[in-house]
Amino acid sequence: MPQEQSPNAGVQLYNVLLILVDLLMLWAKSTYNIVMGVVHMFSPPEAEDVSKDVVLITGAGHGMGKCLALQYAALRSTVVCVDINEATNSGTVAEIKRQGGTAFGYVLDVTNRQQINDVAKKIKEQVGVVTILVNNAGIMPTHPLLQQTEAEIRETFEINVMAHFWLLQAFLPDMIQKNRGHIVALSSAAGLVGLKNLVPYCGTKFAVRGIMEALSEEIRADPRKPNIKFTTIMPYMVDTGLCKRPHARFPDAMKLVKPEDAAAAIIDAQRRGVVEATIPKYLLYLNSFMRNFPIKNGQMLGDFLDAGVNSDL
């Protein structure tokens, strides 16, 4: 048997040098990213102009979706309002038009994939290519898992998770072709930590974070290098009616977020290209910090703050 020849010493040295150069570049780029991250904490990037964007908002008929629609319209965006409730959705469109904005309304059940595709085709023909997609629609049953029905759990996942897939598949291809797009997804503080009475809801909001992170990586690996951005928002409890029985040990310090304030924070994060944001901002840093410690420490902090929702049954 002929003996295998060992690699040439020069080749081995060359390979070692390549690895060293790669490590040096990794260190330099990582250091740069850390420095820029700190800089942007105190001096955020300039907010982008959205006056030439077509913004589609799901659940635009009420609550945070309506606030988002009104505020994007105030920034001179062309707003596409979609909601399963035709009356409230039309009300949002009418209010935008009264204020001098441009808006279009479409009735849409976000759990119906075929309906999404049909409406997407109409929007492209009648309005243009959607360049900002805000996946806002969601529901939140609030009672213990063993008291949640199969129908409730399935509906929660259909609206809060599956709809994201159908909407992304409907609108992302045109964004890629246009080489311009921004996906905004509403997760939740319940997508950062598990909470009682919200087991299915937490599952959906953790899922949204995973979908956005994985899709971002998939687009980053696309050889076409499409100019598509992603922003995942994780609000604390917003006063839209979803939180029927909220509680907190320190109610003055942990007030429900006003939908108008939440919408403003979401739009600001989108315009500045923030990848992940909580409302209020400190929750993201607090969660990241606590994840460095034993799980029981986080549980103890949660017990101390005692913030969440009681069962609605």
Side-chain angles (χ1 to χ4, degrees):
M1 294 287 293
Q3 292 184 345
E4 294 184 5
Q5 293 184 345
S6 59
N8 182 280
V11 173
Q12 287 182 322
L13 178 61
Y14 176 75
N15 289 336
V16 170
L17 288 174
L18 279 181
I19 292 173
L20 289 174
V21 170
D22 283 346
L23 285 171
L24 181 62
M25 291 298 295
L26 177 63
W27 175 83
K29 291 179 179 179
S30 297
T31 302
Y32 172 81
N33 289 335
I34 291 170
V35 171
M36 292 307 298
V38 173
V39 169
H40 287 160
M41 283 178 63
F42 299 98
S43 179
E46 186 176 349
E48 291 185 354
D49 176 25
V50 291
S51 62
K52 294 180 175 59
D53 283 289
V54 176
V55 184
L56 186 147
I57 302 163
T58 63
H62 65 285
M64 199 156 57
K66 181 175 182 177
C67 293
L68 284 163
L70 292 169
Q71 291 185 28
Y72 268 116
L75 293 168
R76 301 190 304 280
S77 302
T78 298
V79 180
V80 178
C81 301
V82 300
D83 200 295
I84 196 169
N85 188 315
E86 183 175 7
T88 58
N89 198 53
S90 297
T92 301
V93 172
E95 188 169 342
I96 289 172
K97 290 181 176 179
R98 281 197 303 270
Q99 295 177 6
T102 304
F104 299 83
Y106 296 87
V107 177
L108 180 63
D109 176 359
V110 295
T111 68
N112 187 323
R113 189 184 186 194
Q114 186 57 54
Q115 192 179 123
I116 288 172
N117 291 335
D118 292 342
V119 170
K121 185 178 179 181
K122 288 181 183 178
I123 292 170
K124 185 177 180 180
E125 292 171 351
Q126 298 171 2
V127 184
V129 173
V130 170
T131 52
I132 299 175
L133 170 63
V134 184
N135 281 324
N136 163 73
I139 61 171
M140 190 176 73
T142 55
H143 35 274
L145 175 64
L146 298 184
Q147 296 178 30
Q148 298 220 14
T149 66
E150 177 184 352
E152 280 181 317
I153 294 170
R154 289 188 181 278
E155 185 181 25
T156 302
F157 272 83
E158 286 289 341
I159 295 174
N160 294 8
V161 179
M162 300 308 297
H164 285 254
F165 292 118
W166 314 146
L167 288 156
L168 288 165
Q169 288 184 335
F171 292 101
L172 187 56
D174 283 333
M175 290 184 183
I176 293 174
Q177 186 174 14
K178 191 179 179 68
N179 197 34
R180 174 181 172 83
H182 203 133
I183 308 295
V184 180
L186 269 293
S187 178
S188 167
L192 289 173
V193 294
L195 298 168
K196 64 183 180 181
N197 295 322
L198 292 174
V199 175
Y201 182 78
C202 286
T204 65
K205 294 307 181 178
F206 270 86
V208 168
R209 289 180 59 212
I211 291 166
M212 290 289 282
E213 186 171 317
L215 181 58
S216 174
E217 284 301 297
E218 193 164 277
I219 293 297
R220 192 171 71 91
D222 191 316
R224 294 171 292 180
K225 302 299 179 186
N227 180 30
I228 309 296
K229 299 177 182 179
F230 298 87
T231 296
T232 304
I233 304 292
M234 293 156 281
Y236 178 64
M237 293 180 284
V238 182
D239 192 10
T240 60
L242 280 181
C243 299
K244 296 179 179 65
R245 298 185 63 196
H247 67 85
R249 183 180 181 184
F250 307 103
D252 291 337
M254 304 188 73
K255 295 179 181 179
L256 268 64
V257 180
K258 293 180 180 179
E260 298 85 357
D261 295 341
I266 292 165
I267 294 172
D268 185 69
Q270 179 270 309
R271 294 179 67 200
R272 296 183 192 277
V274 177
V275 176
E276 285 191 332
T278 56
I279 306 170
K281 290 182 180 181
Y282 74 83
L283 289 179
L284 184 63
Y285 305 118
L286 178 62
N287 181 71
S288 299
F289 176 75
M290 292 305 299
R291 293 289 180 181
N292 294 302
F293 297 96
I295 291 175
K296 286 187 177 180
N297 287 39
Q299 293 172 335
M300 289 168 59
L301 177 61
D303 291 343
F304 173 76
L305 296 174
D306 191 24
V309 291
N310 293 314
S311 173
D312 57 5
L313 294 180

PDB file of all heavy atoms in Angstrom, residues 262-296:
ATOM      1  N   ALA A 262     -47.135  53.048  21.675  1.00  0.00           N
ATOM      2  CA  ALA A 262     -46.568  51.821  21.108  1.00  0.00           C
ATOM      3  C   ALA A 262     -46.382  51.961  19.605  1.00  0.00           C
ATOM      4  O   ALA A 262     -45.332  51.592  19.058  1.00  0.00           O
ATOM      5  CB  ALA A 262     -47.483  50.636  21.413  1.00  0.00           C
ATOM      6  N   ALA A 263     -47.378  52.517  18.916  1.00  0.00           N
ATOM      7  CA  ALA A 263     -47.283  52.701  17.465  1.00  0.00           C
ATOM      8  C   ALA A 263     -46.120  53.620  17.107  1.00  0.00           C
ATOM      9  O   ALA A 263     -45.361  53.347  16.160  1.00  0.00           O
ATOM     10  CB  ALA A 263     -48.595  53.274  16.926  1.00  0.00           C
ATOM     11  N   ALA A 264     -45.954  54.697  17.858  1.00  0.00           N
ATOM     12  CA  ALA A 264     -44.857  55.633  17.595  1.00  0.00           C
ATOM     13  C   ALA A 264     -43.505  54.949  17.765  1.00  0.00           C
ATOM     14  O   ALA A 264     -42.584  55.156  16.960  1.00  0.00           O
ATOM     15  CB  ALA A 264     -44.963  56.845  18.520  1.00  0.00           C
ATOM     16  N   ALA A 265     -43.382  54.116  18.802  1.00  0.00           N
ATOM     17  CA  ALA A 265     -42.129  53.406  19.047  1.00  0.00           C
ATOM     18  C   ALA A 265     -41.852  52.378  17.947  1.00  0.00           C
ATOM     19  O   ALA A 265     -40.700  52.194  17.522  1.00  0.00           O
ATOM     20  CB  ALA A 265     -42.172  52.722  20.411  1.00  0.00           C
ATOM     21  N   ILE A 266     -42.900  51.710  17.469  1.00  0.00           N
ATOM     22  CA  ILE A 266     -42.742  50.717  16.401  1.00  0.00           C
ATOM     23  C   ILE A 266     -42.268  51.386  15.114  1.00  0.00           C
ATOM     24  O   ILE A 266     -41.330  50.920  14.452  1.00  0.00           O
ATOM     25  CB  ILE A 266     -44.076  49.979  16.159  1.00  0.00           C
ATOM     26  CG1 ILE A 266     -44.406  49.102  17.363  1.00  0.00           C
ATOM     27  CG2 ILE A 266     -44.007  49.126  14.881  1.00  0.00           C
ATOM     28  CD1 ILE A 266     -45.839  48.608  17.395  1.00  0.00           C
ATOM     29  N   ILE A 267     -42.905  52.479  14.758  1.00  0.00           N
ATOM     30  CA  ILE A 267     -42.538  53.186  13.529  1.00  0.00           C
ATOM     31  C   ILE A 267     -41.120  53.737  13.620  1.00  0.00           C
ATOM     32  O   ILE A 267     -40.342  53.664  12.670  1.00  0.00           O
ATOM     33  CB  ILE A 267     -43.554  54.301  13.225  1.00  0.00           C
ATOM     34  CG1 ILE A 267     -44.922  53.684  12.895  1.00  0.00           C
ATOM     35  CG2 ILE A 267     -43.080  55.180  12.073  1.00  0.00           C
ATOM     36  CD1 ILE A 267     -46.051  54.695  12.772  1.00  0.00           C
ATOM     37  N   ASP A 268     -40.773  54.260  14.781  1.00  0.00           N
ATOM     38  CA  ASP A 268     -39.415  54.786  14.963  1.00  0.00           C
ATOM     39  C   ASP A 268     -38.380  53.672  14.804  1.00  0.00           C
ATOM     40  O   ASP A 268     -37.347  53.860  14.147  1.00  0.00           O
ATOM     41  CB  ASP A 268     -39.290  55.431  16.346  1.00  0.00           C
ATOM     42  CG  ASP A 268     -37.947  56.106  16.548  1.00  0.00           C
ATOM     43  OD1 ASP A 268     -37.688  57.134  15.886  1.00  0.00           O
ATOM     44  OD2 ASP A 268     -37.135  55.608  17.352  1.00  0.00           O
ATOM     45  N   ALA A 269     -38.657  52.499  15.383  1.00  0.00           N
ATOM     46  CA  ALA A 269     -37.735  51.361  15.266  1.00  0.00           C
ATOM     47  C   ALA A 269     -37.612  50.923  13.809  1.00  0.00           C
ATOM     48  O   ALA A 269     -36.502  50.630  13.325  1.00  0.00           O
ATOM     49  CB  ALA A 269     -38.223  50.206  16.128  1.00  0.00           C
ATOM     50  N   GLN A 270     -38.731  50.874  13.104  1.00  0.00           N
ATOM     51  CA  GLN A 270     -38.689  50.492  11.693  1.00  0.00           C
ATOM     52  C   GLN A 270     -37.889  51.490  10.874  1.00  0.00           C
ATOM     53  O   GLN A 270     -37.021  51.111  10.089  1.00  0.00           O
ATOM     54  CB  GLN A 270     -40.120  50.380  11.151  1.00  0.00           C
ATOM     55  CG  GLN A 270     -40.218  50.012   9.673  1.00  0.00           C
ATOM     56  CD  GLN A 270     -40.237  51.227   8.757  1.00  0.00           C
ATOM     57  OE1 GLN A 270     -41.032  52.146   8.960  1.00  0.00           O
ATOM     58  NE2 GLN A 270     -39.378  51.258   7.757  1.00  0.00           N
ATOM     59  N   ARG A 271     -38.137  52.769  11.077  1.00  0.00           N
ATOM     60  CA  ARG A 271     -37.467  53.804  10.283  1.00  0.00           C
ATOM     61  C   ARG A 271     -35.968  53.864  10.563  1.00  0.00           C
ATOM     62  O   ARG A 271     -35.190  54.266   9.704  1.00  0.00           O
ATOM     63  CB  ARG A 271     -38.109  55.166  10.548  1.00  0.00           C
ATOM     64  CG  ARG A 271     -39.551  55.280  10.071  1.00  0.00           C
ATOM     65  CD  ARG A 271     -40.133  56.633  10.394  1.00  0.00           C
ATOM     66  NE  ARG A 271     -39.471  57.690   9.631  1.00  0.00           N
ATOM     67  CZ  ARG A 271     -39.489  58.972   9.948  1.00  0.00           C
ATOM     68  NH1 ARG A 271     -40.111  59.367  11.062  1.00  0.00           N
ATOM     69  NH2 ARG A 271     -38.881  59.860   9.202  1.00  0.00           N
ATOM     70  N   ARG A 272     -35.564  53.452  11.755  1.00  0.00           N
ATOM     71  CA  ARG A 272     -34.135  53.488  12.112  1.00  0.00           C
ATOM     72  C   ARG A 272     -33.449  52.139  11.893  1.00  0.00           C
ATOM     73  O   ARG A 272     -32.267  51.981  12.203  1.00  0.00           O
ATOM     74  CB  ARG A 272     -33.975  53.949  13.562  1.00  0.00           C
ATOM     75  CG  ARG A 272     -34.460  55.371  13.799  1.00  0.00           C
ATOM     76  CD  ARG A 272     -34.220  55.829  15.225  1.00  0.00           C
ATOM     77  NE  ARG A 272     -34.935  57.066  15.532  1.00  0.00           N
ATOM     78  CZ  ARG A 272     -34.497  58.290  15.231  1.00  0.00           C
ATOM     79  NH1 ARG A 272     -33.327  58.443  14.617  1.00  0.00           N
ATOM     80  NH2 ARG A 272     -35.206  59.356  15.543  1.00  0.00           N
ATOM     81  N   GLY A 273     -34.199  51.162  11.383  1.00  0.00           N
ATOM     82  CA  GLY A 273     -33.587  49.872  11.061  1.00  0.00           C
ATOM     83  C   GLY A 273     -33.224  49.028  12.266  1.00  0.00           C
ATOM     84  O   GLY A 273     -32.312  48.198  12.199  1.00  0.00           O
ATOM     85  N   VAL A 274     -33.944  49.204  13.374  1.00  0.00           N
ATOM     86  CA  VAL A 274     -33.681  48.400  14.568  1.00  0.00           C
ATOM     87  C   VAL A 274     -34.155  46.970  14.321  1.00  0.00           C
ATOM     88  O   VAL A 274     -35.257  46.748  13.823  1.00  0.00           O
ATOM     89  CB  VAL A 274     -34.409  48.995  15.797  1.00  0.00           C
ATOM     90  CG1 VAL A 274     -34.208  48.118  17.018  1.00  0.00           C
ATOM     91  CG2 VAL A 274     -33.918  50.415  16.057  1.00  0.00           C
ATOM     92  N   VAL A 275     -33.323  45.992  14.661  1.00  0.00           N
ATOM     93  CA  VAL A 275     -33.651  44.588  14.384  1.00  0.00           C
ATOM     94  C   VAL A 275     -34.621  44.035  15.422  1.00  0.00           C
ATOM     95  O   VAL A 275     -35.600  43.366  15.081  1.00  0.00           O
ATOM     96  CB  VAL A 275     -32.366  43.733  14.334  1.00  0.00           C
ATOM     97  CG1 VAL A 275     -32.707  42.253  14.153  1.00  0.00           C
ATOM     98  CG2 VAL A 275     -31.465  44.206  13.201  1.00  0.00           C
ATOM     99  N   GLU A 276     -34.350  44.281  16.703  1.00  0.00           N
ATOM    100  CA  GLU A 276     -35.242  43.848  17.776  1.00  0.00           C
ATOM    101  C   GLU A 276     -35.440  45.004  18.753  1.00  0.00           C
ATOM    102  O   GLU A 276     -34.478  45.687  19.115  1.00  0.00           O
ATOM    103  CB  GLU A 276     -34.669  42.647  18.535  1.00  0.00           C
ATOM    104  CG  GLU A 276     -34.768  41.338  17.796  1.00  0.00           C
ATOM    105  CD  GLU A 276     -34.444  40.151  18.695  1.00  0.00           C
ATOM    106  OE1 GLU A 276     -33.677  40.323  19.663  1.00  0.00           O
ATOM    107  OE2 GLU A 276     -34.965  39.052  18.429  1.00  0.00           O
ATOM    108  N   ALA A 277     -36.668  45.208  19.175  1.00  0.00           N
ATOM    109  CA  ALA A 277     -36.950  46.286  20.126  1.00  0.00           C
ATOM    110  C   ALA A 277     -38.073  45.872  21.053  1.00  0.00           C
ATOM    111  O   ALA A 277     -39.020  45.188  20.645  1.00  0.00           O
ATOM    112  CB  ALA A 277     -37.336  47.566  19.388  1.00  0.00           C
ATOM    113  N   THR A 278     -37.951  46.284  22.302  1.00  0.00           N
ATOM    114  CA  THR A 278     -39.040  46.100  23.256  1.00  0.00           C
ATOM    115  C   THR A 278     -39.643  47.467  23.562  1.00  0.00           C
ATOM    116  O   THR A 278     -39.028  48.505  23.335  1.00  0.00           O
ATOM    117  CB  THR A 278     -38.544  45.469  24.573  1.00  0.00           C
ATOM    118  OG1 THR A 278     -37.489  46.273  25.118  1.00  0.00           O
ATOM    119  CG2 THR A 278     -38.048  44.054  24.361  1.00  0.00           C
ATOM    120  N   ILE A 279     -40.866  47.442  24.050  1.00  0.00           N
ATOM    121  CA  ILE A 279     -41.534  48.667  24.495  1.00  0.00           C
ATOM    122  C   ILE A 279     -42.010  48.420  25.923  1.00  0.00           C
ATOM    123  O   ILE A 279     -42.899  47.581  26.134  1.00  0.00           O
ATOM    124  CB  ILE A 279     -42.742  49.018  23.598  1.00  0.00           C
ATOM    125  CG1 ILE A 279     -42.309  49.091  22.129  1.00  0.00           C
ATOM    126  CG2 ILE A 279     -43.367  50.325  24.037  1.00  0.00           C
ATOM    127  CD1 ILE A 279     -43.484  49.204  21.164  1.00  0.00           C
ATOM    128  N   PRO A 280     -41.402  49.086  26.918  1.00  0.00           N
ATOM    129  CA  PRO A 280     -40.309  50.057  26.824  1.00  0.00           C
ATOM    130  C   PRO A 280     -38.969  49.391  26.499  1.00  0.00           C
ATOM    131  O   PRO A 280     -38.824  48.175  26.630  1.00  0.00           O
ATOM    132  CB  PRO A 280     -40.301  50.699  28.211  1.00  0.00           C
ATOM    133  CG  PRO A 280     -40.882  49.662  29.119  1.00  0.00           C
ATOM    134  CD  PRO A 280     -41.902  48.929  28.305  1.00  0.00           C
ATOM    135  N   LYS A 281     -37.984  50.218  26.092  1.00  0.00           N
ATOM    136  CA  LYS A 281     -36.716  49.716  25.573  1.00  0.00           C
ATOM    137  C   LYS A 281     -35.944  48.877  26.586  1.00  0.00           C
ATOM    138  O   LYS A 281     -35.267  47.912  26.220  1.00  0.00           O
ATOM    139  CB  LYS A 281     -35.842  50.885  25.108  1.00  0.00           C
ATOM    140  CG  LYS A 281     -36.349  51.586  23.859  1.00  0.00           C
ATOM    141  CD  LYS A 281     -35.401  52.696  23.440  1.00  0.00           C
ATOM    142  CE  LYS A 281     -35.904  53.393  22.177  1.00  0.00           C
ATOM    143  NZ  LYS A 281     -34.987  54.466  21.745  1.00  0.00           N
ATOM    144  N   TYR A 282     -36.034  49.238  27.874  1.00  0.00           N
ATOM    145  CA  TYR A 282     -35.170  48.594  28.862  1.00  0.00           C
ATOM    146  C   TYR A 282     -35.456  47.104  29.036  1.00  0.00           C
ATOM    147  O   TYR A 282     -34.605  46.335  29.512  1.00  0.00           O
ATOM    148  CB  TYR A 282     -35.281  49.305  30.227  1.00  0.00           C
ATOM    149  CG  TYR A 282     -36.558  49.047  30.976  1.00  0.00           C
ATOM    150  CD1 TYR A 282     -36.730  47.901  31.756  1.00  0.00           C
ATOM    151  CD2 TYR A 282     -37.610  49.966  30.928  1.00  0.00           C
ATOM    152  CE1 TYR A 282     -37.907  47.672  32.455  1.00  0.00           C
ATOM    153  CE2 TYR A 282     -38.787  49.742  31.631  1.00  0.00           C
ATOM    154  CZ  TYR A 282     -38.920  48.595  32.384  1.00  0.00           C
ATOM    155  OH  TYR A 282     -40.091  48.356  33.070  1.00  0.00           O
ATOM    156  N   LEU A 283     -36.639  46.642  28.636  1.00  0.00           N
ATOM    157  CA  LEU A 283     -36.990  45.235  28.822  1.00  0.00           C
ATOM    158  C   LEU A 283     -36.056  44.307  28.063  1.00  0.00           C
ATOM    159  O   LEU A 283     -35.721  43.215  28.537  1.00  0.00           O
ATOM    160  CB  LEU A 283     -38.435  44.992  28.383  1.00  0.00           C
ATOM    161  CG  LEU A 283     -39.537  45.575  29.271  1.00  0.00           C
ATOM    162  CD1 LEU A 283     -40.910  45.264  28.688  1.00  0.00           C
ATOM    163  CD2 LEU A 283     -39.427  45.056  30.700  1.00  0.00           C
ATOM    164  N   LEU A 284     -35.619  44.708  26.879  1.00  0.00           N
ATOM    165  CA  LEU A 284     -34.714  43.876  26.079  1.00  0.00           C
ATOM    166  C   LEU A 284     -33.380  43.714  26.795  1.00  0.00           C
ATOM    167  O   LEU A 284     -32.832  42.605  26.876  1.00  0.00           O
ATOM    168  CB  LEU A 284     -34.503  44.499  24.694  1.00  0.00           C
ATOM    169  CG  LEU A 284     -33.655  43.679  23.713  1.00  0.00           C
ATOM    170  CD1 LEU A 284     -34.328  42.351  23.400  1.00  0.00           C
ATOM    171  CD2 LEU A 284     -33.421  44.465  22.431  1.00  0.00           C
ATOM    172  N   TYR A 285     -32.861  44.821  27.334  1.00  0.00           N
ATOM    173  CA  TYR A 285     -31.575  44.762  28.034  1.00  0.00           C
ATOM    174  C   TYR A 285     -31.711  43.991  29.347  1.00  0.00           C
ATOM    175  O   TYR A 285     -30.815  43.212  29.715  1.00  0.00           O
ATOM    176  CB  TYR A 285     -31.063  46.183  28.303  1.00  0.00           C
ATOM    177  CG  TYR A 285     -30.969  47.021  27.051  1.00  0.00           C
ATOM    178  CD1 TYR A 285     -31.734  48.179  26.902  1.00  0.00           C
ATOM    179  CD2 TYR A 285     -30.140  46.642  26.004  1.00  0.00           C
ATOM    180  CE1 TYR A 285     -31.661  48.941  25.750  1.00  0.00           C
ATOM    181  CE2 TYR A 285     -30.061  47.394  24.841  1.00  0.00           C
ATOM    182  CZ  TYR A 285     -30.825  48.545  24.723  1.00  0.00           C
ATOM    183  OH  TYR A 285     -30.750  49.292  23.577  1.00  0.00           O
ATOM    184  N   LEU A 286     -32.824  44.186  30.048  1.00  0.00           N
ATOM    185  CA  LEU A 286     -33.043  43.471  31.304  1.00  0.00           C
ATOM    186  C   LEU A 286     -33.129  41.972  31.058  1.00  0.00           C
ATOM    187  O   LEU A 286     -32.520  41.173  31.792  1.00  0.00           O
ATOM    188  CB  LEU A 286     -34.327  43.973  31.974  1.00  0.00           C
ATOM    189  CG  LEU A 286     -34.730  43.281  33.279  1.00  0.00           C
ATOM    190  CD1 LEU A 286     -33.658  43.479  34.346  1.00  0.00           C
ATOM    191  CD2 LEU A 286     -36.083  43.807  33.773  1.00  0.00           C
ATOM    192  N   ASN A 287     -33.851  41.568  30.015  1.00  0.00           N
ATOM    193  CA  ASN A 287     -33.982  40.147  29.709  1.00  0.00           C
ATOM    194  C   ASN A 287     -32.637  39.540  29.321  1.00  0.00           C
ATOM    195  O   ASN A 287     -32.281  38.452  29.776  1.00  0.00           O
ATOM    196  CB  ASN A 287     -34.994  39.954  28.575  1.00  0.00           C
ATOM    197  CG  ASN A 287     -35.186  38.490  28.222  1.00  0.00           C
ATOM    198  OD1 ASN A 287     -35.762  37.712  28.967  1.00  0.00           O
ATOM    199  ND2 ASN A 287     -34.680  38.111  27.054  1.00  0.00           N
ATOM    200  N   SER A 288     -31.872  40.265  28.474  1.00  0.00           N
ATOM    201  CA  SER A 288     -30.562  39.763  28.056  1.00  0.00           C
ATOM    202  C   SER A 288     -29.633  39.615  29.260  1.00  0.00           C
ATOM    203  O   SER A 288     -28.876  38.636  29.367  1.00  0.00           O
ATOM    204  CB  SER A 288     -29.932  40.716  27.029  1.00  0.00           C
ATOM    205  OG  SER A 288     -30.741  40.799  25.875  1.00  0.00           O
ATOM    206  N   PHE A 289     -29.697  40.561  30.181  1.00  0.00           N
ATOM    207  CA  PHE A 289     -28.861  40.523  31.385  1.00  0.00           C
ATOM    208  C   PHE A 289     -29.240  39.331  32.255  1.00  0.00           C
ATOM    209  O   PHE A 289     -28.375  38.566  32.709  1.00  0.00           O
ATOM    210  CB  PHE A 289     -29.016  41.838  32.154  1.00  0.00           C
ATOM    211  CG  PHE A 289     -28.277  41.869  33.461  1.00  0.00           C
ATOM    212  CD1 PHE A 289     -26.901  42.012  33.489  1.00  0.00           C
ATOM    213  CD2 PHE A 289     -28.967  41.758  34.664  1.00  0.00           C
ATOM    214  CE1 PHE A 289     -26.208  42.032  34.702  1.00  0.00           C
ATOM    215  CE2 PHE A 289     -28.292  41.801  35.879  1.00  0.00           C
ATOM    216  CZ  PHE A 289     -26.909  41.924  35.902  1.00  0.00           C
ATOM    217  N   MET A 290     -30.543  39.138  32.487  1.00  0.00           N
ATOM    218  CA  MET A 290     -30.985  38.079  33.387  1.00  0.00           C
ATOM    219  C   MET A 290     -30.730  36.692  32.816  1.00  0.00           C
ATOM    220  O   MET A 290     -30.595  35.719  33.570  1.00  0.00           O
ATOM    221  CB  MET A 290     -32.472  38.242  33.703  1.00  0.00           C
ATOM    222  CG  MET A 290     -32.816  39.465  34.546  1.00  0.00           C
ATOM    223  SD  MET A 290     -31.900  39.552  36.106  1.00  0.00           S
ATOM    224  CE  MET A 290     -32.421  38.034  36.929  1.00  0.00           C
ATOM    225  N   ARG A 291     -30.641  36.574  31.507  1.00  0.00           N
ATOM    226  CA  ARG A 291     -30.382  35.273  30.881  1.00  0.00           C
ATOM    227  C   ARG A 291     -28.977  34.758  31.182  1.00  0.00           C
ATOM    228  O   ARG A 291     -28.669  33.588  30.918  1.00  0.00           O
ATOM    229  CB  ARG A 291     -30.576  35.362  29.370  1.00  0.00           C
ATOM    230  CG  ARG A 291     -32.025  35.605  28.926  1.00  0.00           C
ATOM    231  CD  ARG A 291     -32.907  34.402  29.140  1.00  0.00           C
ATOM    232  NE  ARG A 291     -34.277  34.637  28.720  1.00  0.00           N
ATOM    233  CZ  ARG A 291     -35.262  33.749  28.824  1.00  0.00           C
ATOM    234  NH1 ARG A 291     -35.004  32.564  29.340  1.00  0.00           N
ATOM    235  NH2 ARG A 291     -36.486  34.036  28.432  1.00  0.00           N
ATOM    236  N   ASN A 292     -28.104  35.619  31.716  1.00  0.00           N
ATOM    237  CA  ASN A 292     -26.758  35.187  32.080  1.00  0.00           C
ATOM    238  C   ASN A 292     -26.718  34.505  33.442  1.00  0.00           C
ATOM    239  O   ASN A 292     -25.671  33.985  33.838  1.00  0.00           O
ATOM    240  CB  ASN A 292     -25.811  36.407  32.103  1.00  0.00           C
ATOM    241  CG  ASN A 292     -25.613  37.006  30.737  1.00  0.00           C
ATOM    242  OD1 ASN A 292     -25.179  36.326  29.815  1.00  0.00           O
ATOM    243  ND2 ASN A 292     -25.940  38.282  30.586  1.00  0.00           N
ATOM    244  N   PHE A 293     -27.829  34.495  34.149  1.00  0.00           N
ATOM    245  CA  PHE A 293     -27.881  33.949  35.495  1.00  0.00           C
ATOM    246  C   PHE A 293     -28.760  32.695  35.521  1.00  0.00           C
ATOM    247  O   PHE A 293     -29.471  32.398  34.551  1.00  0.00           O
ATOM    248  CB  PHE A 293     -28.426  35.011  36.465  1.00  0.00           C
ATOM    249  CG  PHE A 293     -27.556  36.232  36.566  1.00  0.00           C
ATOM    250  CD1 PHE A 293     -27.832  37.366  35.802  1.00  0.00           C
ATOM    251  CD2 PHE A 293     -26.454  36.237  37.396  1.00  0.00           C
ATOM    252  CE1 PHE A 293     -27.021  38.486  35.883  1.00  0.00           C
ATOM    253  CE2 PHE A 293     -25.635  37.352  37.487  1.00  0.00           C
ATOM    254  CZ  PHE A 293     -25.924  38.474  36.734  1.00  0.00           C
ATOM    255  N   PRO A 294     -28.724  31.937  36.613  1.00  0.00           N
ATOM    256  CA  PRO A 294     -29.600  30.759  36.714  1.00  0.00           C
ATOM    257  C   PRO A 294     -31.074  31.124  36.494  1.00  0.00           C
ATOM    258  O   PRO A 294     -31.512  32.227  36.843  1.00  0.00           O
ATOM    259  CB  PRO A 294     -29.352  30.275  38.148  1.00  0.00           C
ATOM    260  CG  PRO A 294     -27.978  30.739  38.468  1.00  0.00           C
ATOM    261  CD  PRO A 294     -27.839  32.067  37.774  1.00  0.00           C
ATOM    262  N   ILE A 295     -31.810  30.190  35.939  1.00  0.00           N
ATOM    263  CA  ILE A 295     -33.221  30.435  35.630  1.00  0.00           C
ATOM    264  C   ILE A 295     -33.994  30.867  36.872  1.00  0.00           C
ATOM    265  O   ILE A 295     -34.887  31.722  36.799  1.00  0.00           O
ATOM    266  CB  ILE A 295     -33.852  29.167  35.016  1.00  0.00           C
ATOM    267  CG1 ILE A 295     -33.276  28.924  33.617  1.00  0.00           C
ATOM    268  CG2 ILE A 295     -35.369  29.290  34.935  1.00  0.00           C
ATOM    269  CD1 ILE A 295     -33.728  27.637  32.970  1.00  0.00           C
ATOM    270  N   LYS A 296     -33.646  30.299  38.016  1.00  0.00           N
ATOM    271  CA  LYS A 296     -34.368  30.651  39.252  1.00  0.00           C
ATOM    272  C   LYS A 296     -34.242  32.135  39.580  1.00  0.00           C
ATOM    273  O   LYS A 296     -35.145  32.715  40.189  1.00  0.00           O
ATOM    274  CB  LYS A 296     -33.861  29.800  40.413  1.00  0.00           C
ATOM    275  CG  LYS A 296     -34.346  28.348  40.345  1.00  0.00           C
ATOM    276  CD  LYS A 296     -33.964  27.573  41.586  1.00  0.00           C
ATOM    277  CE  LYS A 296     -34.520  26.156  41.534  1.00  0.00           C
ATOM    278  NZ  LYS A 296     -34.158  25.372  42.750  1.00  0.00           N
TER     279      LYS A 296
END
